[in-house]
């Protein structure tokens, strides 16, 4: 998953992984062009193509006080992708 666009910088938020193999980890994620958090994030697990897929849980842990946008969004483990 690309955190920053190569043409323009996009706003980011913290994705909090609440369960699965990466439980308790956090990472930066870019908002969609619409301004919404990503519905799913895919995280490389090894150099052979395995990726962990996390799906947005709907919970937003924190909001940015300056504009009300989410600053921390919870994600639940969806499964592994071996493609």
């Amino acid at each position: 998953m690309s955190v920053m666009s190569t043409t323009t910088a996009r706003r980011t938020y913290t994705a909090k992984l609440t369960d699965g193999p990466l439980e308790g980890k956090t990472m930066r994620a870019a908002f969609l062009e619409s301004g919404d958090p990503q519905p799913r994030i895919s995280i490389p697990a090894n150099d052979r193509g395995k990726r962990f897929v996390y799906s947005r849980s709907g919970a937003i842990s924190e909001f940015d006080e300056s504009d009300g946008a989410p600053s921390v969004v919870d994600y639940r483990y969806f499964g592994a992708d071996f493609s």
Side-chain angles (χ1 to χ4, degrees):
M1 177 184 81
S2 175
V3 173
M4 298 297 269
S5 170
T6 56
T7 55
T8 58
R10 291 177 26 193
R11 290 200 48 214
T12 61
Y13 61 95
T14 299
K16 184 170 117 180
L17 310 177
T18 61
D19 61 358
L22 301 177
E23 179 177 357
K25 304 283 188 198
T26 61
M27 62 180 285
R28 300 302 293 167
F31 285 100
L32 297 173
E33 293 294 327
S34 66
D36 295 322
Q38 299 281 337
R40 280 191 181 174
I41 53 177
S42 181
I43 305 159
N46 62 32
D47 60 355
R48 295 181 303 271
K50 180 179 178 183
R51 302 175 73 73
F52 295 126
V53 179
Y54 279 77
S55 185
R56 188 172 155 203
S57 72
I60 298 176
S61 300
E62 296 178 29
F63 289 90
D64 186 338
E65 290 181 18
S66 65
D67 64 4
S71 58
V72 179
V73 178
D74 293 350
Y75 285 82
R76 297 205 49 137
Y77 183 64
F78 184 76
D81 179 11
F82 295 93
S83 54

